[in-house]
Amino acid sequence: MHIHDYEKIWLVLAMVLIVAIITTITYGATAAGIGMISDDEETIDSTALDEDERFADPRVEEIDDNQYEVYVIAQQFQFRPDPIEVPANSQVTFYVTSPDVLHGFHVEGTNANTMVIPGEVSKLTVEPNEPGEYGIVCNEYCGAGHHDMEGLLIVHPEDEFELEDDSDE
Ligand code: CUA
């Protein structure tokens, strides 16, 4: 079969285009500091969060010197705990899950931003250096109250921070 030169050029161009598209998508999904929901977190029963040791009592926990873990529930239409209080110059890892529908978790003014999927635990670590108050917003449409779904992250100066024990023991 004879292929016309002109046709060959278009064949090559089409292939270049396909490779370019795949490269762009791969780059967008993996490079440039973009993280998808990590696969190493186990799934969780979204209907039984009150029986989960992390999420039954959404809270801030000190796990080591200057290292904190925050277990957050994003639900229609609030974040718990609210506010979330941590000290500056620490390492804070958020674990966020949802008992109902898809939500977002974005700490305004930072690059902390993740999707929150029922049945999955989104994990993200931030190192807040600047004391202050940061709004937390839901950036996935989740129902009638979506636009009112917001929380607050308070970063306290290191020497003024004390983890309050609000467990019911
Ligand atoms: Cu939750 Cu939008």
Side-chain angles (χ1 to χ4, degrees):
M1 183 176 76
H2 178 76
I3 299 178
H4 207 276
D5 280 353
Y6 197 61
E7 213 168 1
K8 273 186 202 158
I9 290 171
W10 281 106
L11 280 174
V12 170
L13 277 180
M15 268 185 274
V16 168
L17 201 61
I18 289 166
V19 172
I21 289 168
I22 292 170
T23 308
T24 308
I25 292 170
T26 309
Y27 180 80
T30 58
I34 292 168
M36 308 299 282
I37 303 280
S38 69
D39 293 332
D40 51 332
E41 283 296 317
E42 282 171 36
T43 55
I44 182 170
D45 183 353
S46 63
T47 63
L49 293 185
D50 52 349
E51 288 161 28
D52 185 273
E53 71 174 71
R54 290 179 296 179
F55 296 103
D57 177 25
R59 65 195 182 276
V60 177
E61 209 169 276
E62 184 171 19
I63 53 161
D64 206 344
D65 234 15
N66 264 334
Q67 283 195 322
Y68 294 83
E69 287 189 343
V70 189
Y71 309 117
V72 183
I73 289 185
Q75 68 184 93
Q76 289 168 324
F77 295 100
Q78 58 172 326
F79 294 98
R80 290 187 293 144
D82 185 32
I84 296 169
E85 302 186 59
V86 296
N89 300 310
S90 59
Q91 194 187 65
V92 180
T93 301
F94 293 97
Y95 294 87
V96 195
T97 194
S98 162
D100 42 41
V101 300
L102 183 71
H103 295 282
F105 179 87
H106 176 216
V107 182
E108 286 178 317
T110 74
N111 61 0
N113 187 12
T114 184
M115 231 184 234
V116 183
I117 302 169
E120 305 214 12
V121 178
S122 303
K123 176 184 174 185
L124 75 170
T125 300
V126 298
E127 295 183 3
N129 295 324
E130 279 299 310
E133 299 196 350
Y134 301 81
I136 297 172
V137 295
C138 173
N139 52 15
E140 297 287 343
Y141 182 75
C142 55
H146 162 69
H147 61 282
D148 285 327
M149 182 165 169
E150 51 194 23
L152 189 64
L153 172 68
I154 304 177
V155 179
H156 293 276
E158 247 177 303
D159 48 358
E160 291 173 19
F161 181 76
E162 214 174 308
L163 191 62
E164 54 182 282
D165 183 17
D166 55 9
S167 64
D168 309 316
E169 288 149 32

